[in-house]
Amino acid sequence: MSGFLNALPGAVSQGLIWGIMAIGVYITYKILDIADLTVDGSLCTGGAVFVMLFTNGINLWAAMLAALLAGMLAGLVTGLLHTVCGIPAILSGILTQLALYSINMAIMGMKATVAININQEGVLDKLLVSLRFVQGSKGGFPFYRHPIFVVGIFTAGLIAVLYWFFGRELGAALRATGSNPNMARAQGINTDFCKVLGLMLSNGLVALCGALLCQYSSANEIKVGQGAIVIGLAAVIIGEVLLGKVFRNFALKLLSVSIGAILYYVVLQAVLQMGLDANYLKLLSAIVVAVFLTIPNWKGKYFGKSSRKEAAENA
Amino acid sequence: MLEIKNIWKTFNANTVNEKVALKGVSLTLNDGEFVTVIGGNGAGKSTLMNAVAGVYPVDRGSITINGADVTDLPEHKRAPYIGRVFQDPMMGTAASMQIEENLALAARRGQTRGLKAGITKMEREEYRELLKILDLGLEERMTSKVGLLSGGQRQALTLLMATLRKPKLLLLDEHTAALDPKTAAKVLDTTERIVQKDKLTTLMITHNMKDAIVHGDRLIMMYDGRVAIDVSGQEKKKLTVETLLEMFNKVSGSDEADDKLLLS
Ligand SMILES: Nc1ncnc2c1ncn2[C@@H]1O[C@H](COP(=O)(O)OP(=O)(O)O)[C@@H](O)[C@H]1O
Ligand SMILES: [Mg+2]
């Protein structure tokens, strides 16, 4: 138990960082109604771009911005494959994801891992987040360096920006595109443009998450994004199932995604503490997502009317 | 206002399922004209409307709205000219968005959407007044998700959205067909009022011959991808269901019995 409690701040930190990716997944999966598999690749792209720029002396914020832009570029490619080339969205994402493996390797100079040397003088100070900071005062770090605090603020800012954006004309057009593309086009909305924009926004956030993860673990690995989409979906769904009833406001819905990601990592940590081999985590994640995706469908099937009304409400 | 010149539309070209749905349709609507469209199932009524709206391109021919050739424009670029209500009540509104948000989307039809507010306080007041016209109590539920509304309520809302910014052309595709008779009558009544008030150029498909006769100032009947009958003025005023059926039998020839059933 004490082992679990000791590991808790780390799990929450990780969950918060992954929550940023999950918010990206929310934009495609819930708002645009597209299951975008690009994220498995673009997460690593973010980390790769960041680590190469940062270790070559580029300013941290500039490196993070570059990571964001690289992710958006990946989203643009998927978007164009889908809209201009007419390839189904899922397949478009898979194609980009596959291509990104090579590209990510190339960015990292054909190395599977590129590390940030945090033992070098001054490097740790520059980082926004690091596993080291999780120790808090015990490790001699002030509370405001703690990842929970830093990423918490970061997430709050992000949610505020997204809340603002989706309340704008363009943001509303994106939501209409996902909700009913026929209606959207009839109202003069260019649904192709909206889909591409949403995919760019989403993958930009995913790449940003990759850049933060890279800082957190002081390295970027080629396989960091493997199964990321499942983690993102898990966070979205856990947040929705547990908090969907209470959180109706859009900002709160985004918050529930972040909370979903935290819960996911806390549960994962608990399972690990119980002695499960870490190699089983992917199996476990897949089962969790499959179960949570099943619940709403079976509810509708076997409990009839009342839940159908609910479905319309949550749709 | 609307000028359709010799348009052809083939579905599934060069396959066993090839279907020529429009065979050289030409039709001109004058400013403010209210035209009802009837015809048996598969006559090409919806295809004509979708071709005008730009849901899909036509094989041949041209479509001009308000003097602008829109034949090659995609659907969303024709939207500035056109207000539409579909047969399926689910089609015209965004279920997961609020009533007022749907109206705000419609208010921006044809405008570039940027980073201005998606909906303003002033608009809300405007919409509240507008919703009162429908007499469905929706003005009290402006922040409800549209998915919670009944088919009739959604159809009435879609009608309001289609006409919120006066369209050059209003397209109604059997927009009351999916509703119960009482609701259908109410929505049709609202339609008539809005069309009259704003003097909208309107094309209304209906499966109900009586409605087609009672409403509008011109009636066309489609048969096998063509406009078979076109009556207006005094002649239209004198129409009865019987005379209409008779005219229809004349154009349809041998398969009259089947189509007669489909029309009634
Ligand atoms: N999207 C489509 N793909 C293939 N065939 C279609 C399509 N839309 C309509 N059709 C065919 O074109 C013909 C005309 O259809 P439609 O315009 O919907 O008739 P209606 O007069 O009943 O509205 C029908 O034979 C129909 O099956
Ligand atoms: Mg039809």
Side-chain angles (χ1 to χ4, degrees):
Chain A
M1 194 63 204
S2 77
F4 174 66
L5 284 182
N6 283 336
L8 204 52
V12 173
S13 301
Q14 251 190 315
L16 263 170
I17 298 176
W18 281 93
I20 292 169
M21 183 219 52
I23 288 174
V25 170
Y26 183 91
I27 292 173
T28 46
Y29 184 68
K30 293 302 284 189
I31 298 181
L32 281 180
D33 198 21
I34 290 176
D36 173 33
L37 301 186
T38 314
V39 295
D40 281 26
S42 58
L43 187 88
C44 180
T45 307
V49 167
F50 175 83
V51 80
M52 296 315 282
L53 291 177
F54 183 73
T55 53
N56 279 294
I58 306 286
N59 171 278
L60 176 117
W61 292 102
M64 289 197 28
L65 181 67
L68 174 86
L69 293 176
M72 291 177 82
L73 195 62
L76 175 69
V77 171
T78 301
L80 294 180
L81 284 174
H82 177 46
T83 57
V84 176
C85 306
I87 301 170
I90 294 229
L91 196 51
S92 301
I94 292 176
L95 290 174
T96 311
Q97 182 201 114
L98 185 71
L100 280 177
Y101 179 87
S102 305
I103 293 172
N104 292 338
M105 282 301 283
I107 295 174
M108 297 201 289
M110 296 303 167
K111 287 200 285 276
T113 308
V114 177
I116 301 171
N117 184 2
I118 49 172
N119 294 321
Q120 198 183 323
E121 181 74 32
V123 169
L124 193 60
D125 280 347
K126 279 192 206 154
L127 294 181
L128 205 54
V129 284
S130 171
L131 187 56
R132 293 277 179 94
F133 301 151
V134 176
Q135 298 165 359
S137 51
K138 269 180 281 171
F141 300 108
F143 77 93
Y144 57 82
R145 288 297 260 156
H146 198 288
I148 297 182
F149 184 79
V150 174
V151 186
I153 300 260
F154 197 92
T155 304
L158 177 66
I159 290 177
V161 170
L162 289 177
Y163 181 77
W164 174 83
F165 174 73
F166 281 101
R168 306 285 99 189
E169 290 177 342
L170 190 57
L174 246 75
R175 285 190 291 145
T177 298
S179 180
N180 183 348
N182 284 310
M183 171 269 193
R185 280 190 294 271
Q187 300 306 337
I189 292 167
N190 185 342
T191 49
D192 282 350
F193 172 78
C194 284
K195 283 184 195 167
V196 173
L197 186 65
L199 284 164
M200 289 176 72
L201 192 59
S202 168
N203 282 289
L205 294 180
V206 171
L208 204 54
C209 165
L212 286 173
L213 274 177
C214 167
Q215 294 176 53
Y216 185 77
S217 59
S218 323
N220 193 58
E221 286 181 60
I222 189 71
K223 63 179 174 57
V224 63
Q226 226 176 56
I229 181 69
V230 179
I231 298 175
L233 287 177
V236 169
I237 297 162
I238 293 171
E240 185 171 25
V241 170
L242 296 182
L243 298 165
K245 282 258 172 3
V246 232
F247 285 4
R248 304 225 158 227
N249 171 286
F250 181 69
L252 291 178
K253 280 197 192 299
L254 292 180
L255 182 62
S256 72
V257 174
S258 188
I259 293 173
I262 294 171
L263 287 177
Y264 177 87
Y265 271 93
V266 169
V267 171
L268 224 59
Q269 194 59 49
V271 174
L272 284 178
Q273 295 284 333
M274 281 167 6
L276 186 83
D277 189 314
N279 285 314
Y280 281 116
L281 286 184
K282 290 226 185 331
L283 173 65
L284 193 71
S285 307
I287 292 174
V288 167
V289 171
V291 167
F292 275 97
L293 280 176
T294 307
I295 294 172
N297 295 332
W298 282 10
K299 247 192 189 164
K301 230 199 233 148
Y302 301 118
F303 300 98
K305 243 183 175 163
S306 62
S307 53
R308 224 176 293 142
K309 191 179 159 211
E310 227 168 70
E313 237 172 293
N314 296 331
Chain B
M1 185 50 66
L2 170 68
E3 199 175 349
I4 301 169
K5 267 197 208 146
N6 191 30
I7 58 170
W8 289 73
K9 177 68 195 175
T10 311
F11 289 111
N12 309 314
N14 305 319
T15 70
V16 283
N17 293 321
E18 180 169 296
K19 170 78 199 173
V20 185
L22 296 179
K23 301 174 179 173
V25 174
S26 294
L27 183 68
T28 303
L29 261 65
N30 296 321
D31 213 346
E33 205 167 26
F34 183 176
V35 180
T36 57
V37 185
I38 55 170
N41 267 330
K45 306 181 297 294
S46 296
T47 307
L48 175 66
M49 212 163 256
N50 289 334
V52 171
V55 176
Y56 29 65
V58 292
D59 312 338
R60 253 202 288 156
S62 73
I63 300 162
T64 310
I65 303 174
N66 200 33
D69 186 342
V70 300
T71 317
D72 295 323
L73 291 186
E75 195 176 356
H76 70 268
K77 285 203 177 145
R78 299 191 199 186
Y81 307 104
I82 301 173
R84 266 196 289 168
V85 187
F86 313 85
Q87 178 170 354
D88 180 357
M90 304 298 144
M91 210 73 158
T93 45
S96 63
M97 297 175 78
Q98 301 167 354
I99 293 178
E100 59 178 32
E101 286 177 328
N102 271 273
L103 285 162
L105 283 168
R108 287 160 181 74
R109 182 162 47 81
Q111 292 173 14
T112 333
R113 290 162 210 260
L115 296 177
K116 278 190 281 189
I119 182 167
T120 63
K121 225 182 189 158
M122 233 167 66
E123 282 178 79
R124 284 199 180 91
E125 292 314 308
E126 182 195 346
Y127 301 155
R128 190 181 302 282
E129 292 309 309
L130 274 170
L131 284 165
K132 282 183 189 159
I133 302 175
L134 297 181
D135 193 25
L136 294 168
L138 295 184
E139 64 275 10
E140 303 301 327
R141 305 172 59 187
M142 295 204 354
T143 55
S144 294
K145 298 269 167 73
V146 168
L148 294 172
L149 304 185
S150 70
Q153 287 170 329
R154 282 179 79 159
Q155 220 48 343
L157 179 63
T158 309
L159 182 65
L160 201 59
M161 287 165 60
T163 54
L164 188 58
R165 292 290 167 261
K166 195 178 159 181
K168 296 283 176 228
L169 181 66
L170 178 62
L171 300 178
L172 310 167
D173 186 355
E174 299 201 33
H175 69 305
T176 61
L179 310 178
D180 65 82
K182 211 175 130 215
T183 317
K186 194 166 181 180
V187 170
L188 199 56
D189 183 59
T190 312
T191 307
E192 181 73 42
R193 258 189 299 148
I194 293 176
V195 169
Q196 293 306 337
K197 182 171 66 81
D198 291 339
K199 301 189 174 49
L200 297 174
T201 312
T202 304
L203 206 52
M204 178 174 92
I205 300 176
T206 171
H207 60 287
N208 186 319
M209 291 185 127
K210 240 201 321 283
D211 287 342
I213 293 169
V214 173
H215 297 277
D217 26 51
R218 180 175 165 196
L219 181 150
I220 64 173
M221 180 187 285
M222 289 193 67
Y223 177 75
D224 192 27
R226 295 187 178 90
V227 176
I229 292 170
D230 186 342
V231 287
S232 53
Q234 283 306 313
E235 199 187 349
K236 156 111 189 340
K237 289 209 177 82
K238 281 189 286 186
L239 275 180
T240 62
V241 174
E242 286 71 35
T243 51
L244 203 51
L245 269 175
E246 222 168 272
M247 291 165 88
F248 181 69
N249 286 345
K250 231 184 268 169
V251 294
S252 66
S254 59
D255 44 358
E256 59 186 284
D258 292 343
D259 288 292
K260 199 164 154 185
L261 282 175
L262 289 171
L263 271 168
S264 54

